[in-house]
């Protein structure tokens, strides 16, 4: 994402005005202590918040206030929960309807004079029942896909609702503007989703042009109507593309002049409760008794704890746990429902091999210890990205009992060992370690 300093002064002012409008003009005016568009924009652009030790307490205060004002979550969060339930209901209904249609169709197709295809035979049944059942399948499937698509961009919508509430909350706290809002800017995420319709429309325009070129030319000349349609689609695609650029600029201004949290590419959505995270990597290996030099690389898992979720109540913890389980791929929520801190475990995806992206992310990191998994003979090496001295005193305690380690077998190295750098080093390194420790 570009920064506000890379924009011209006029672009920065327009972006700041857009931030003011999207977060609520009156609320932003109250926050910056001015009235009117021009004065608010100038006041916003002169603000330079910085993350300090006070930011953690600001985050806790923000969470407490939001819990009091919205005990059931913000409206966007409730909508996301409703859509998630609707998605699973529609998915289950689609599967049930497909199975019923297939079974009934197979029974009907076995009768004399009926079509061999089960769905065709079902549609030929007397009365509207069979045809309605067949027609319900694409309708249910389309509704399921639509619900999943809407769910996929609810994260920036929730972030926008969170930011709007943060503006109102900060407006009642003297000095909060200078310390910044303990939320992430939502505009970059919304900009990303606006690029999708732009690309779809441009692809449709390109397809129309190719279709027109493929058509044979008759005496009445080229198919100008198709070319005009393609031009219209291309121009229509410019609208979401321009909107995406405008939102990206608004996000850059908000990041530099209003908020103090930064979004992450993966993991739980960043807010005041999940801004702080502690992580380590568990690399499990097995050493055969007969030939230790042939030790095998078993699995790799990254464990992440969010210590500040301890400030949440049980209902909020359950809601976040549900969202984490439904929104994130390859992620398992390790902490029990309603218990803090929230802990998740992530493994490489289906096509990511044994090490996935962790080869790159933990390159030149540190080996800090070794343990065993409970009830398993697999040995586990413990890796961190940086600051290995924090592992014993800060990182591991943040997980409570949710780390899948037998603490009686835990050995923390007095002198952490530097990990290799480069690409695709993890699997060979684990085999070397298993041979050395066998």
């Amino acid at each position: 994402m570009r920064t506000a300093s890379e924009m011209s002064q006029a672009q920065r002012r327009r972006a700041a005005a857009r931030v003011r409008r999207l977060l609520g003009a009156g609320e932003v005016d109250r926050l910056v202590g001015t009235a009117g568009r021009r004065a608010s924009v100038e006041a916003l652009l002169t603000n330079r918040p910085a993350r300090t030790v006070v930011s953690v307490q600001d985050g806790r205060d923000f969470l407490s206030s939001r819990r009091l004002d919205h005990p059931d979550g913000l409206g966007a969060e409730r909508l996301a929960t409703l859509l998630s339930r609707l998605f699973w209901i529609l998915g289950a209904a689609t599967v049930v309807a497909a199975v019923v249609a297939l079974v009934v169709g197979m029974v009907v197709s076995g009768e004399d004079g009926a079509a061999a295809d089960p769905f065709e035979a079902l549609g030929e049944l007397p009365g509207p029942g069979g045809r309605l059942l067949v027609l319900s399948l694409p309708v249910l499937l389309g509704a399921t896909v639509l619900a999943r698509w809407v769910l996929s961009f609810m994260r920036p919508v929730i972030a926008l609702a969170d930011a709007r509430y943060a503006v109102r909350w900060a407006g009642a706290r003297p000095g909060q503007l200078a310390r910044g809002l303990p939320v992430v800017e939502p505009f970059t995420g919304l900009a990303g989703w606006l690029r999708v319709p732009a690309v779809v429309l441009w692809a449709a325009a390109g397809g129309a042009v190719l279709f027109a070129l493929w058509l044979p030319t008759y005496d009445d000349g080229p198919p100008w109507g198709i070319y005009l349609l393609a031009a219209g689609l291309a121009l229509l695609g410019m609208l979401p593309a321009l909107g995406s650029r405008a939102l990206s600029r608004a996000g850059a201004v908000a990041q530099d002049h209003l908020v103090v949290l930064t979004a992450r590419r993966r993991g739980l959505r960043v807010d005041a409760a999940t801004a702080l995270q502690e992580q380590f990597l568990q690399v499990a290996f097995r050493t055969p008794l007969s030939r230790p030099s042939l030790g095998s690389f078993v699995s790799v898992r990254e464990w992440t704890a969010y210590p500040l979720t301890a400030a949440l109540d049980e209902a909020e913890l359950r809601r976040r746990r549900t969202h984490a389980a439904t929104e994130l791929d390859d992620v398992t929520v390790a902490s029990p429902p309603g218990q803090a801190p929230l802990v998740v475990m992530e493994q490489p995806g289906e096509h990511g091999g044994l090490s996935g992206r962790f080869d790159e992310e933990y390159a030149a990191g540190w080996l800090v210890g070794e343990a065993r998994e409970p009830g398993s003979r697999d040995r586990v090496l413990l890796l961190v990205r940086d600051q290995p001295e924090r592992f014993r005193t800060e990182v591991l305690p943040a997980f409570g009992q949710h780390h899948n380690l037998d603490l009686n077998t835990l050995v923390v190295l007095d002198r952490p060992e530097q990990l290799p750098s480069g690409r695709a080093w993890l699997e060979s390194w684990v085999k070397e370690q298993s041979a050395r420790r066998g």
Side-chain angles (χ1 to χ4, degrees):
M1 183 184 74
R2 69 188 302 178
T3 61
S5 60
E6 296 173 340
M7 294 184 281
S8 67
Q9 190 66 19
Q11 290 173 340
R12 292 172 67 240
R13 287 196 177 97
R14 286 195 295 270
R18 196 170 292 112
V19 169
R20 173 179 177 268
R21 184 169 63 253
L22 292 174
L23 295 184
E27 288 77 8
V28 172
D29 289 351
R30 191 176 304 111
L31 173 64
V32 300
T34 61
R37 177 180 178 274
R38 178 172 297 181
S40 292
V41 165
E42 293 300 328
L44 183 61
L45 290 177
T46 57
N47 188 52
R48 287 285 182 180
R51 190 185 304 180
T52 65
V53 292
V54 184
S55 301
V56 175
Q57 186 58 48
D58 286 340
R60 290 194 177 105
D61 294 343
F62 173 73
L63 291 172
S64 298
S65 178
R66 202 182 78 152
R67 185 168 65 246
L68 291 175
D69 294 341
H70 300 278
D72 297 326
L74 299 173
E77 292 171 326
R78 296 196 299 271
L79 177 60
T81 301
L82 179 63
L83 285 173
S84 179
R85 293 172 180 170
L86 179 63
F87 166 72
W88 289 109
I89 291 173
L90 288 172
T94 302
V95 172
V96 171
V99 171
V100 170
L102 181 61
V103 171
V104 175
M106 291 177 66
V107 172
V108 173
S109 64
E111 299 178 356
D112 294 336
D117 183 82
F119 292 100
E120 185 179 347
L122 188 63
E124 293 175 353
L125 283 176
R131 288 189 293 274
L132 287 176
L133 183 57
V134 173
L135 290 175
S136 69
L137 294 179
V139 173
L140 286 172
L141 180 61
T144 303
V145 173
L146 179 62
R148 186 67 186 91
W149 180 72
V150 174
L151 265 177
S152 66
F153 63 81
M154 283 304 295
R155 177 179 285 210
V157 172
I158 293 173
L160 178 61
D162 208 27
R164 288 177 64 91
Y165 175 78
V167 169
R168 296 193 299 271
W169 167 81
R173 288 168 61 95
Q176 188 62 54
L177 176 65
R179 298 196 299 273
L181 307 186
V183 294
V184 298
E185 59 84 10
F187 307 113
T188 302
L190 294 171
W193 283 107
L194 276 181
R195 296 188 193 104
V196 175
V199 172
V200 170
L201 289 169
W202 288 336
V209 171
L210 292 176
F211 178 69
L213 293 174
W214 174 78
L215 288 175
T217 301
Y218 297 102
D219 294 337
D220 54 354
W224 295 113
I226 298 179
Y227 286 122
L228 288 175
L229 175 63
L233 290 173
L235 290 175
L236 191 61
M238 290 296 297
L239 295 179
L242 292 173
S244 175
R245 185 178 67 174
L247 285 173
S248 294
R249 290 175 175 174
V253 167
Q255 189 66 63
D256 286 1
H257 300 284
L258 190 60
V259 304
V260 293
L261 301 185
T262 304
R264 289 187 288 263
R265 290 186 177 180
R266 60 184 181 87
L268 299 185
R269 182 178 63 85
V270 177
D271 61 10
T274 58
L276 178 63
Q277 63 177 15
E278 300 287 0
Q279 291 179 309
F280 68 93
L281 197 68
Q282 289 185 1
V283 180
F285 69 95
R286 184 174 301 136
T287 305
L289 297 177
S290 58
R291 297 184 65 184
S293 62
L294 298 178
S296 59
F297 182 12
V298 178
S299 66
V300 57
R301 302 185 183 97
E302 185 178 53
W303 291 75
T304 304
Y306 298 92
L308 296 182
T309 54
L312 304 176
D313 60 13
E314 182 178 348
E316 178 69 8
L317 278 169
R318 289 180 180 274
R319 186 183 63 78
R320 286 173 181 264
R321 188 181 192 278
T322 301
H323 284 176
T326 56
E327 290 180 5
L328 303 177
D329 297 329
D330 307 319
V331 168
T332 301
V333 182
S335 52
Q339 291 189 20
L342 193 62
V343 176
V344 300
M345 183 271 292
E346 184 172 358
Q347 292 180 278
E350 180 181 354
H351 304 292
L354 282 172
S355 56
R357 63 176 174 276
F358 298 130
D359 273 306
E360 180 179 352
E361 294 185 359
Y362 282 82
W366 298 90
L367 170 65
V368 293
E370 180 183 343
R372 290 187 184 273
E373 296 179 345
S376 172
R377 68 185 184 92
D378 294 340
R379 301 169 69 177
V380 178
L381 300 177
L382 308 175
L383 282 57
V384 296
R385 289 186 175 91
D386 52 25
Q387 298 180 311
E389 68 280 357
R390 296 181 59 248
F391 180 76
R392 184 195 297 270
T393 58
E394 298 179 47
V395 176
L396 194 58
F399 288 80
Q401 300 299 317
H402 315 306
H403 41 58
N404 197 39
L405 295 175
D406 182 355
L407 295 183
N408 293 324
T409 65
L410 175 64
V411 176
V412 178
L413 302 181
D414 294 328
R415 294 184 178 180
E417 299 178 13
Q418 183 94 46
L419 299 175
S421 58
R423 297 184 172 221
W425 59 271
L426 188 54
E427 187 168 355
S428 59
W429 177 82
V430 171
K431 290 181 178 179
E432 291 175 4
Q433 293 294 315
S434 64
R436 194 179 82 180
R437 297 163 187 270

